[in-house]
Amino acid sequence: MSTLHTVNKSPFEKNSLDTCLGYVAGGSAVLLLEDGVYAALKGTSVEPKIKSALDSAKVYVLGPDLKARGFSEDRVIEGISVVDYAGFVDLAAENAKVQAWL
Amino acid sequence: MKFSIQINEGPFQHQASDSAYFFTKTALEKGHEIFRVFFYHDGVNNSTRLTTPPQDDRNVVERWADLAEKHDLDMVVCVAAAQRRGVVDDGEAQRNGKDATNIHPKFRISGLGQLVEAAIQSDRLVVFGD
């Protein structure tokens, strides 16, 4: 059963991304939103973690929250898909449940 | 699809109420049903009609109220969380001997059973918080 995991904290502030990635099963989806979008950026110390998560899970980042923080989509790690709120709603509907890692 | 939304964070604490609002609005625009929006913990602060943000800032409470008006949303505030934070309706004012109320008429105060029911009755419960 696939799950949409949402992470809204910066990985440099809290360890919710780590906790989330520890639970993510193959075929699941992870959505980075709010300050969670910092984990989607190229060149940070968490990039290897995200890249290895991308081997088994799908990773998404909320575009409006990237933009609100001044980041363009070309700053995002390859393999991560940028979605808008409509995409967020679709992900919540497509997956069997939604787990927020607050 | 039937969604319910849980909000655990106040309107000006961080971003959860904004994220929840845009998710709810978009879900409705896409034709989904919102069974209930449940305000829990500091989230109850989203329901006070006395809020007066600066004119160039979004009015989080009125924005929720407008969405509720347009789509007939059931917006429920947790009673225990509300009592702690001084969010009061007529019934609570009478029961607790308070001289005023501050809840916005588009919200209603009720118990956690409403959250449990929302989780059971909805296809998805989406949680926003800090």
Side-chain angles (χ1 to χ4, degrees), chain B residues 14-129:
Chain B
H14 195 221
Q15 210 188 330
S17 187
D18 295 281
S19 299
Y21 171 80
F22 288 119
F23 182 92
T24 305
K25 185 169 175 280
T26 307
L28 289 163
E29 283 165 1
K30 288 177 75 76
H32 295 292
E33 181 190 340
I34 301 292
F35 179 78
R36 182 167 293 146
V37 183
F38 191 86
F39 296 86
Y40 199 19
H41 303 294
D42 275 1
V44 304
N45 292 316
N46 287 287
S47 70
T48 167
R49 64 183 163 79
L50 301 184
T51 181
T52 316
Q55 283 187 349
D56 59 351
D57 193 2
R58 71 222 187 280
N59 188 321
V60 175
V61 177
E62 286 301 333
R63 202 170 56 176
W64 276 114
D66 289 346
L67 197 64
E69 169 76 27
K70 199 171 161 194
H71 298 278
D72 200 22
L73 290 183
D74 185 23
M75 302 203 297
V76 176
V77 176
C78 169
V79 60
Q83 283 175 336
R84 285 193 180 92
R85 292 164 182 83
V87 173
V88 181
D89 66 0
D90 287 332
E92 288 303 310
Q94 210 160 36
R95 206 171 359 264
N96 300 303
K98 302 295 177 187
D99 60 2
T101 67
N102 60 346
I103 195 164
H104 192 288
K106 287 290 164 197
F107 296 77
R108 64 185 181 94
I109 293 180
S110 191
L112 268 185
Q114 301 279 309
L115 175 61
V116 175
E117 187 199 30
I120 293 168
Q121 296 294 331
S122 307
D123 300 305
R124 305 284 184 276
L125 174 66
V126 186
V127 183
F128 295 88

